[in-house]
Amino acid sequence: SFRSQWFDRALTLNSNLYYIDWADQQANIYGPLGAGFDDTVITNAGASKLHGLEVEMQAYLGALNIFSSIGYSKTEFTDFVANGEDFGGNEFAYSPNFTGSIGMSYDWNNGLYFSASANYTGSSYQDNANEIDIDSYTIINANFAYTVDRYRVFLYAKNLFDETATTARSFQDDFEFRRLRPPRQVGVGVDLSF
């Protein structure tokens, strides 16, 4: 790992580099009914490994704060045979190779505050058999607030551009079912501090 602060702590830069050699990892595989019925059982993989890198940055430029992060991860089962199927060489389920985020916030120091962020999740497999893939997606959120005395009034937007983001898929007969992240959500609220 690497931790650093620069320019009188105005810039923070951190990173992690990792390698894991895993024995007897618990993993899900499809049971007798298969993917069509979302039937899974837990078993042990003989050997697996993963390695990757994470980097994050935060910069304070007066009232403006900028932040970002990026991650790379490579996963692999190196010895995994179950139910007569060899999963060797496959990636772990729900383990995208790339993730990242970037965002900013601005504080006018008069009660007004704004923040926004974009969060990216790369494509991955839903299952350790690597038969069902999940597409990449980017979610953008924003928040605007005004604080006066003990009151804070805020307006927020989650999934601002209404991205249709799949997080899970299943199949039954000729039908495909998907679990999605929530659609765009916009709201207002009031906080009272005591």
Side-chain angles (χ1 to χ4, degrees):
S1 64
F2 174 77
R3 303 287 183 268
S4 66
Q5 290 185 315
W6 307 76
F7 309 114
D8 197 24
R9 299 186 178 183
L11 174 65
T12 298
L13 184 63
N14 299 327
S15 65
N16 297 305
L17 181 67
Y18 59 88
Y19 176 84
I20 299 173
D21 193 356
W22 208 340
D24 297 325
Q25 174 190 353
Q26 288 192 331
N28 287 324
I29 61 170
Y30 291 124
L33 298 179
F37 292 90
D38 202 21
D39 176 31
T40 59
V41 294
I42 298 175
T43 188
N44 282 20
S48 54
K49 62 183 179 181
L50 63 148
H51 64 272
L53 173 68
E54 301 169 333
V55 179
E56 63 178 18
M57 180 276 298
Q58 190 158 11
Y60 295 96
L61 308 172
L64 176 65
N65 176 27
I66 300 173
F67 52 90
S68 66
S69 66
I70 188 169
Y72 169 78
S73 181
K74 176 63 177 174
T75 64
E76 182 184 1
F77 292 110
T78 55
D79 178 18
F80 187 12
V81 178
N83 292 343
E85 186 173 355
D86 187 356
F87 299 95
N90 289 2
E91 298 180 15
F92 300 173
Y94 298 108
S95 299
N97 292 133
F98 292 99
T99 57
S101 66
I102 188 168
M104 57 79 66
S105 64
Y106 194 92
D107 190 340
W108 280 267
N109 291 318
N110 61 2
L112 292 174
Y113 174 86
F114 174 78
S115 67
S117 65
N119 303 283
Y120 171 79
T121 301
S123 60
S124 65
Y125 291 105
Q126 177 178 303
D127 57 332
N128 291 318
N130 291 180
E131 295 174 348
I132 303 175
D133 59 327
I134 298 176
D135 292 335
S136 62
Y137 58 86
T138 301
I139 301 295
I140 297 176
N141 303 315
N143 182 57
F144 181 80
Y146 178 66
T147 302
V148 57
D149 295 328
R150 297 182 300 158
Y151 295 91
R152 176 176 171 267
V153 181
F154 58 92
L155 169 67
Y156 67 89
K158 297 180 180 179
N159 193 3
L160 181 62
F161 294 103
D162 203 22
E163 175 77 7
T164 301
T166 300
T167 60
R169 300 168 61 201
S170 61
F171 304 89
Q172 190 169 2
D173 298 326
D174 294 330
F175 297 97
E176 177 181 347
F177 300 91
R178 295 185 178 222
R179 182 181 303 130
L180 306 177
R181 286 185 59 98
R184 176 172 45 230
Q185 181 181 29
V186 177
V188 295
V190 178
D191 289 334
L192 173 61
S193 300
F194 294 94

